[in-house]
Amino acid sequence: MVKAVNVSPMTRIEGHLDIEVDIEQFNGQWRVIDARCAGVMFRGFETILAGRDPRDATHYTQRICGVCPVSHAMAASMAMEDAFDVAAPDNGRLLRNLVLGANFIQSHVLHFYHLSAPDYVDTSGVLDRSPWIPRHTAEDMIGGDDAATIVGHYLQALEIRRKAHQMGAIFGGRLPGACNFVPGGSTCRFDRQQIDEFAALLTEIRQFIDEVYVPDVRALAGHFTAFTQLGQGPRNLLAYGVFDLDAAGADRLLARGRYEGETDSYHDVDALKIKEYVTHSWFTPVCGDRHPSEGVTEPDVDKQGAYSFIKAPRYEGAVYELGPLARMWVNGDYRKGISAIHRIEARALEAKKIADAMVGWLEQLQVGQAVYAHAATPTAATGTGLTEAPRGALGHWLGIEEGKIAHYQVITPTAWNASPTDGLEQFGAIEDALIQTPVRDSENPVELMRIVHSFDPCLACAVHMARPGRRARRIHVAG
Amino acid sequence: MDLTRRDFLKGAAAVAAALGCELPGVRRVQRALGAGDDAGLPVVWLQGQSCSGCSISLMNSIEYGSIRDLLVETLDLEFHRTLMAASGDLAVSAAEDAYEAGGYALIVEGSIPLGAGGRYCMLWPEMTALDGVRRFARRASFVIGVGTCGAYGGLVAGAPNPTRARGLGTRFAGKTVINIPGCPSHPDWIVGTVGHLIAHGSAPKLDRYGRPEMFYGQQVHRRCPRRGTPAAHTLSDSGCLRHLGCKGPWARADCPVRRWNAAESGEAGVNWCVGAGSPCYGCTEPTFPDRMSPFYDLEA
């Protein structure tokens, strides 16, 4: 007997995500046998950007997502630098890394405490008001004094993530939505006092990461050992890399690379081998099998078998998972395992790695030296910007004609992670990760929530490009 | 020439005075409005075609109260899909329970698409953002559009507006809308307005676009510390950004005084767009982004 379990809307993510799974009973235990991950909100950024001044792209694309806007500003700046043939001076590169790093830390802290922890902690008796009620229950949730401790850290983390944004805004102008990113570097000059302010906040934040965030994650991993075996996914990991350490952009804090799980091997990334497919997405067939530089997006609202407005990005036809686990694995910093818990742990350790590196970047800043190198907008050019958002590898592909945007395509990490099944009937990464998950109580499907949340999904990112169309009718079966 | 701390405090104090009381103490006021001992202002926060940037910005609140104070003491946040513990049907039931009780502040972040019968944005199964916002507006005590998208359609409604996105506008479902635009909106504008609602039971004085005049009363240019200084010729130059595309003369907001991302209550923010060398791009205006584009003017 097969039952459908619908977690729609999925909350404590960014955006609009519906999760549907089918569960079947094996030896008294219900397990997921099929999964559909659907993005259900559309805006049409590609259409809105067409014909506009390319320099506006750093601001427009930041509104693809308010949790990872700085990554879009970075990717847009890099794509334009590629197209304009200009490079940022060292100060500009460092300032951008520092603002980006501040937002990575903010996002990771937000994700663990505010988006994930409620899946694992019984807050009754500690937080008995909305938005923490109503809540789901599970036998294995942390309770009692330990729960009270984590709730205290949750509240402290609200302040820490606010301070991470305060820190980034010193050079970014404001967060969310930094305004200092431009092709050619950064717009903001800076003085010694601002460096000292940034450094003081960084010290406080690093202390929180080392003394609170990482220990809490380690404790969670020790408590929920079952989830170190659940949510594995495709076991292929991909990263474009991020945080350029030199002007040439060849050396990065987190490297570019791929890991193939089946062969336990490591490889380069050639962005030309990325294509998007639309077999189960509401777009016409001509939109499929295309490199993003030639992306086409035409809706097909009556398409048989489609269930999502997210396209399916694939690398040489294979499914990849992106995110902190992918980055830390490819970089050699974390290879303990691939699961829901390992994603959470890698994310915390990555926050520490980035925060520690930011100390050195601050020291390299040179007051009074250039932050910006100007180049005129070309009449016709193309450019690619490959970087990382907190959730994974992020790419912008830009085409300029007559000095205006002719073509702008974005592939976000959540498009990869939350993609639907493709034409080879390969599940997207989150769908794959849900298969075989045991579900004890379909009214409280915390197992599904824990696995989906471990990817830190951002749906505004995943569907930014999608086109209008009618959703296929879904049948909801009472659990 | 930067504004001194005293200048900022004079401006901020005026706003605080308008609020009537410190936010964490509004429980007394809420009791006076008929709520229970432990109750805060009930809020239903719906997201349309949102990037969540206004929610993230709200979480940076410090001047009139921290997000911790808001969540633990001031508000009953009955539905907010970024923060709420419940998912799926349990989350929908929380929204529906709030609807039945009525009297909440409905806050809408993100635009609402009219295209495809509203199905470009689903709040939850069988509920489009269009239907949902219309429904929840009916029993709301206050209807609030947060962010330029929620207020006026914003960037999502930029030409050619492929999803036929719109904001709430100045009247929605027969009610006056309080609009708190910005891309994102400043946490102080949101929290200060909500504080006024709690303290006085009514909206502050609104301009013709539904924006509280206490935050949006003057153009950025009028209080810009770079006003009157020698013009910048290229990005990262100091000086007035008027030749680089700055929209300060048109954009109404108190950013030059309040600034962004303050360290603590009583202090101006650590920086702001113009302070970081970026021309203002008018993100609080109903005409954002199309009439504010292009944002830069660098090719002279």
Side-chain angles (χ1 to χ4, degrees), chain A residues 9-12 14 16 42 52 56 59 63 66 129 131 136 161-162 165 170 174-175 187-189 377 468, chain B residues 48-49 51-52 60 75-76 81 84-88 120 122 183 236 261-262 271 276 281 290 295-296 299:
Chain A
M10 177 64 74
T11 60
R12 283 181 282 112
E14 194 295 322
H16 301 257
F42 328 103
R52 293 183 189 264
D56 288 359
H59 297 291
R63 277 70 185 179
R129 59 184 292 129
H136 299 279
R161 66 144 302 286
R162 182 189 74 77
H165 262 190
I170 292 170
R174 67 170 172 178
L175 281 173
T187 58
C188 63
R189 290 185 185 275
T377 308
Chain B
Q49 294 166 300
C51 76
S52 302
N60 292 340
L75 305 178
D76 272 339
R81 61 182 303 163
M84 64 195 298
S87 267
Y120 295 152
M122 306 299 296
C183 190
S236 82
N261 302 95
N271 212 339
Y281 43 97
D290 291 345
F295 300 144
Y296 301 95
E299 311 301 343

Side-chain angles (χ1 to χ4, degrees), chain A residues 6-18 40-45 47-50 52-53 55-56 58-60 62-67 106 110 114-115 118-119 127 129-136 154-155 158-159 161-163 165-167 169-182 186-189 194 197 201 309 371-372 374-377 443-444 449 453 460 466-471 474 476, chain B residues 38-40 47-54 56-57 59-62 66-68 70-94 111 113 116 119-126 155-163 182-185 234-238 255 260-264 270-279 281 283 288-290 292-296 298-299:
Chain A
N6 200 312
V7 190
S8 306
M10 177 64 74
T11 60
R12 283 181 282 112
I13 56 162
E14 194 295 322
H16 301 257
L17 174 68
D18 286 357
V40 293
M41 184 278 280
F42 328 103
R43 290 169 296 179
F45 266 78
T47 306
I48 295 167
L49 276 169
R52 293 183 189 264
D53 190 311
R55 294 180 194 272
D56 288 359
T58 52
H59 297 291
Y60 277 80
Q62 286 197 69
R63 277 70 185 179
I64 289 174
C65 178
V67 190
Q106 178 273 148
L110 175 82
H114 311 118
L115 306 186
D119 291 344
L127 285 175
R129 59 184 292 129
S130 54
W132 301 290
I133 57 169
R135 43 180 297 275
H136 299 279
Y154 173 112
L155 296 174
L158 289 172
E159 176 72 350
R161 66 144 302 286
R162 182 189 74 77
K163 286 184 166 171
H165 262 190
Q166 177 192 332
M167 179 175 74
I170 292 170
F171 300 135
R174 67 170 172 178
L175 281 173
C179 46
N180 69 309
F181 281 68
V182 283
S186 172
T187 58
C188 63
R189 290 185 185 275
Q194 286 173 305
E197 272 181 38
L201 286 160
F309 284 97
V371 300
Y372 172 71
H374 183 73
T377 308
E443 299 293 313
N444 288 288
M449 294 162 67
H453 286 144
R467 276 302 178 275
R470 211 167 51 237
R471 270 171 83 235
R474 283 211 292 273
H476 299 284
Chain B
D38 263 332
Q47 291 177 321
Q49 294 166 300
S50 155
C51 76
S52 302
C54 292
I56 295 293
S57 186
M59 293 182 75
N60 292 340
S61 177
I62 190 66
S66 68
I67 185 69
R68 180 210 170 279
L70 290 167
L71 294 179
V72 175
E73 297 184 38
T74 313
L75 305 178
D76 272 339
L77 189 58
E78 311 283 10
F79 187 92
H80 190 307
R81 61 182 303 163
T82 313
L83 290 171
M84 64 195 298
S87 267
D89 291 342
L90 191 62
V92 177
S93 74
S111 50
R119 279 163 304 199
Y120 295 152
C121 184
M122 306 299 296
L123 293 185
W124 51 76
E126 319 302 321
L155 201 142
V156 181
N161 196 350
T163 60
C183 190
S185 188
T234 189
L235 290 174
S236 82
D237 280 357
S238 55
C255 304
W260 284 77
N261 302 95
E264 40 188 271
V270 296
N271 212 339
W272 64 300
C273 295
V274 173
S278 170
Y281 43 97
C283 72
F288 176 81
D290 291 345
M292 299 294 161
S293 298
F295 300 144
Y296 301 95
L298 304 183
E299 311 301 343

Side-chain angles (χ1 to χ4, degrees), chain A residues 1 13 139 143 171 186 231 301-302 320 393:
Chain A
M1 180 199 164
I13 56 162
E139 288 165 12
F171 300 135
S186 172
V301 302
D302 297 314
Y320 276 80

Side-chain angles (χ1 to χ4, degrees), chain A residues 112 225 369:
Chain A
F112 178 66
T225 51
Q369 297 295 307

